[in-house]
Amino acid sequence: MSVPLIRFDCVSKQFHAVKALSSVSFDVRQGEFHALCGENGAGKSTLMKILSGVIGDYEGQIELAGKPLRLRGTRDAEELGINIIHQELNLVGELSVAANIFLGRELRTGLGFIDDREMERQSARIFQQLDCRIDPQALVGSLRIGDQQLVEIAKALSQGLTNRPAVASAARLGEKNDPKAQSPSDHASEATPRGSVPETTAHAPILIMDEPTSALTESEVERLFRIIGRLQSQGVTIVYISHKMDEIFQHADRITILRDGQVVKTLDRTATHPREVTHLMVGRAIEASDVGKNRTAGDEVLRVENLSLPWRGHVRQWRLKDVNLSVRRGEVLGVAGLMGAGRTELLECLFGASSESPQGRMVLDGRDVQFSHPDEALSAGISLVTEDRKRYGIFTELTVRDHITLSSLDDVAAMGFVGQAAERKAADDSISALRVKTAGREASIMSLSGGNQQKCIIARALRTRPKLLLLDDPTRGIDVGAKAEIYRLIDELCGQELAIIITSSELPELITVSDRIVVLCEGRVTAEFSRGQFTEQKLMEAATALAT
């Protein structure tokens, strides 16, 4: 009797108060190309980290070849032929290609020395099987990103392609967890059809790929999929995470859609179409809201023309390319896009905080500007609330008062000394205006909830009296109630003729607060919508560069 190669049964995972996965159940067949789709935060990567042993603490059960699977770490997964290629490559640039492929499991001579020659020989054999020409002796840091991606694939497959009996190992691991588990020899079968697991000790590697083409050119993508096709013909199972509908509908056998940590549906690729998948990805009901209904936009505050941000050493060359946009007083301009689309990089360019000097033209209140440091942007009337609150927004040893007044100490200082009474009043005014829930201005910032910490950071930005406020995913990691209060605050600020540019990984949020939305895909603007035109499906299609 055939069984799925992988079966998820009511798998759940919670990080503190956030439920990342909730009773996820579906299966993956051997040798298939199984795509996982969903918005950012849907739970795709968390689930794959569980399958690959990165995360070991979860509820529910996973079966591999019909046997219970519990991994003690990534080494267990690798021994079973389960390998993951993360979106961010995990290679050591100062080491050779061969050294990276065998990193942590180096081959050794009879005398115990590292056997570089044998590792290079085996690496060359793997590349030959992958039909690509990469020198095993070359330093990884000298390779183009596309070739580095292939090194990651070779590293992941180096165990499986050397004929390790993955399914047999899975059965043994099952025996550790289940004393009654039968050995592979108890399930003999003469044939191994696609969609079933070989019920013998045959090797059946699994390759998990998380957005593997995000850094590849078209020709490199074509080569990658030729390799994937060849691997499938050898029995390798592919679990593929991607937002790119064209890739999925060219190559996937089945598609599982996750939304808010739950499985929405598993579909045969031939029985569905891209618009159905994008609808299932974003099909949440949106609560009625009066936010933004009575806004009136004023004069233009900012205009950006052909803004481009170089990406040195990267095959794409540009993090942003020829971006054009504008925002007016009393208006909220939303910026949509998937992970890596360039949302944060855009705001950093506008704030003078980009790693490289951007190209193009910025016009602020009718005057050409170019910022080389955030101080210059602040002085010109632009303020930024960063995406990563904990890393870039909070100083754990400081108080609520410190956080609110940090960027505007000149306003409460005289002759170079901070006036304590003036600083206390400024902090109290902001606490009252933004309804910050705190034991007092002298309370530690760490004693506040995430939502109230975020209000303090927004208060700090507002005390600089900006004409343009940049909000980078401002409700990330905060509860629903705090989100609603920030939406109300945004509406009030627009009523005071402040111009706002906001990014968000949540499409319903952008639809709720924005008057217009521009959509980025791989650093380029692919669409612009006004209120009344945008829907979640249109935004997702533009974010995946799907033609409407």
Side-chain angles (χ1 to χ4, degrees):
M1 178 180 177
S2 64
V3 294
L5 179 60
I6 308 166
R7 189 171 75 88
F8 299 95
D9 185 12
C10 295
V11 174
S12 298
K13 175 61 183 176
Q14 189 153 334
F15 296 99
H16 303 294
V18 178
K19 193 137 194 176
L21 297 170
S22 181
S23 297
V24 169
S25 298
F26 69 98
D27 62 65
V28 178
R29 301 165 185 162
Q30 180 175 333
E32 79 169 332
F33 187 122
H34 197 112
L36 281 185
C37 293
E39 288 187 276
N40 297 340
K44 309 181 298 297
S45 294
T46 298
L47 186 64
M48 291 302 99
K49 286 177 180 178
I50 290 173
L51 178 60
S52 59
V54 177
I55 295 174
D57 179 23
Y58 62 93
E59 298 177 2
Q61 181 170 290
I62 301 175
E63 292 181 0
L64 180 62
K67 304 294 181 181
L69 179 69
R70 278 286 176 177
L71 302 172
R72 294 165 296 186
T74 55
R75 184 62 61 88
D76 275 356
E78 290 168 359
E79 289 179 355
L80 298 173
I82 304 172
N83 292 276
I84 184 169
I85 300 173
H86 298 280
Q87 185 174 5
E88 298 296 329
L89 302 182
N90 293 315
L91 297 173
V92 181
E94 293 77 14
L95 296 181
S96 71
V97 167
N100 271 275
I101 289 174
F102 288 93
L103 188 64
R105 50 188 182 84
E106 291 79 3
L107 303 181
R108 296 186 179 274
T109 66
L111 297 175
F113 298 105
I114 292 177
D115 194 340
D116 291 313
R117 182 173 298 180
E118 180 61 18
M119 290 193 297
E120 290 165 4
R121 187 188 69 80
Q122 292 197 25
S123 298
R125 182 163 66 90
I126 294 169
F127 287 127
Q128 184 178 13
Q129 290 176 296
L130 294 176
D131 192 27
C132 57
R133 298 177 180 177
I134 296 178
D135 181 1
Q137 295 181 336
L139 292 180
V140 161
S142 69
L143 301 180
R144 296 175 60 194
I145 191 69
D147 287 336
Q148 290 184 15
Q149 186 78 71
L150 291 172
V151 173
E152 278 279 22
I153 293 172
K155 178 180 177 181
L157 292 172
S158 60
Q159 293 179 336
L161 292 179
T162 51
N163 297 319
R164 285 179 176 260
V167 174
S169 299
R172 287 197 296 272
L173 190 57
E175 288 171 359
K176 292 178 185 178
N177 291 299
D178 182 3
K180 298 179 182 179
Q182 293 174 296
S183 68
S185 60
D186 294 330
H187 298 282
S189 175
E190 295 181 359
T192 306
R194 180 173 172 139
S196 64
V197 64
E199 295 172 324
T200 67
T201 58
H203 138 77
I206 298 161
L207 182 58
I208 303 164
M209 310 181 83
D210 191 352
E211 298 283 358
T213 64
S214 59
L216 304 185
T217 63
E218 288 185 12
S219 61
E220 289 169 337
V221 170
E222 290 176 3
R223 179 173 63 169
L224 174 62
F225 281 110
R226 285 198 301 270
I227 292 168
I228 288 174
R230 189 173 300 112
L231 294 174
Q232 282 190 271
S233 70
Q234 298 172 21
V236 177
T237 301
I238 307 293
V239 182
Y240 193 87
I241 299 175
S242 181
H243 292 108
K244 297 183 179 180
M245 294 295 111
D246 56 340
E247 294 177 0
I248 289 169
F249 276 85
Q250 285 178 31
H251 303 284
D253 296 306
R254 291 191 298 156
I255 305 166
T256 293
I257 299 103
L258 292 176
R259 188 172 70 228
D260 297 332
Q262 297 179 312
V263 171
V264 179
K265 206 168 189 179
T266 296
L267 298 163
D268 286 334
R269 185 253 304 167
T270 55
T272 186
H273 51 81
R275 283 181 174 80
E276 180 183 12
V277 172
T278 56
H279 173 72
L280 292 171
M281 287 167 62
V282 301
R284 299 183 299 273
I286 304 173
E287 295 181 3
S289 174
D290 292 329
V291 172
K293 294 294 176 65
N294 300 314
R295 291 181 195 151
T296 301
D299 298 334
E300 182 180 84
V301 174
L302 176 75
R303 184 171 75 256
V304 173
E305 298 176 356
N306 299 318
L307 179 68
S308 297
L309 180 64
W311 197 348
R312 299 187 188 280
H314 196 278
V315 68
R316 265 174 45 190
Q317 298 184 352
W318 303 95
R319 292 184 185 274
L320 298 169
K321 184 63 175 174
D322 296 331
V323 172
N324 294 281
L325 57 83
S326 65
V327 62
R328 297 178 292 172
R329 301 186 196 286
E331 180 184 39
V332 176
L333 176 67
V335 180
L338 301 171
M339 188 177 298
R343 297 174 305 176
T344 294
E345 288 82 359
L346 172 61
L347 298 197
E348 288 175 346
C349 284
L350 301 182
F351 192 59
S354 55
S355 55
E356 298 280 347
S357 297
Q359 302 173 12
R361 186 185 183 203
M362 284 177 54
V363 181
L364 184 67
D365 270 350
R367 182 172 62 90
D368 282 55
V369 294
Q370 186 175 10
F371 306 128
S372 59
H373 192 277
D375 277 346
E376 298 173 4
L378 282 170
S379 298
I382 300 177
S383 196
L384 170 67
V385 175
T386 62
E387 177 185 29
D388 193 336
R389 179 174 65 247
K390 291 184 178 178
R391 186 175 179 186
Y392 297 117
I394 286 178
F395 301 89
T396 58
E397 303 301 319
L398 298 185
T399 66
V400 169
R401 168 181 51 80
D402 295 327
H403 278 80
I404 290 173
T405 62
L406 192 60
S407 296
S408 56
L409 289 176
D410 285 347
D411 292 344
V412 294
M415 301 180 66
F417 294 94
V418 174
Q420 294 185 357
E423 186 186 16
R424 289 194 293 266
K425 183 179 185 305
D428 288 341
D429 288 347
S430 291
I431 290 169
S432 176
L434 273 71
R435 302 184 180 92
V436 179
K437 295 179 181 177
T438 174
R441 75 174 89 88
E442 302 306 322
S444 167
I445 192 69
M446 301 307 294
S447 68
L448 274 59
S449 68
N452 284 292
Q453 289 177 353
Q454 189 73 335
K455 287 181 184 180
C456 290
I457 296 171
I458 294 173
R460 181 169 73 214
L462 293 177
R463 292 217 68 85
T464 65
R465 297 189 296 278
K467 61 185 72 172
L468 173 61
L469 180 62
L470 308 176
L471 300 174
D472 195 0
D473 218 347
T475 67
R476 179 184 179 191
I478 65 176
D479 61 57
V480 174
K483 284 185 179 183
E485 291 190 25
I486 288 177
Y487 298 162
R488 174 197 57 76
L489 174 62
I490 289 171
D491 217 28
E492 290 178 0
L493 294 173
C494 284
Q496 300 167 21
E497 297 192 335
L498 184 65
I500 297 174
I501 300 179
I502 180 173
T503 78
S504 178
S505 54
E506 299 182 23
L507 295 182
E509 177 168 276
L510 281 182
I511 289 172
T512 298
V513 303
S514 302
D515 299 296
R516 290 184 298 119
I517 297 176
V518 295
V519 185
L520 294 176
C521 179
E522 296 184 352
R524 297 176 183 268
V525 174
T526 55
E528 180 175 336
F529 303 99
S530 298
R531 184 180 286 273
Q533 294 179 327
F534 42 66
T535 64
E536 291 184 55
Q537 185 155 340
K538 285 183 179 180
L539 295 175
M540 181 59 72
E541 289 174 357
T544 56
L546 182 66
T548 57

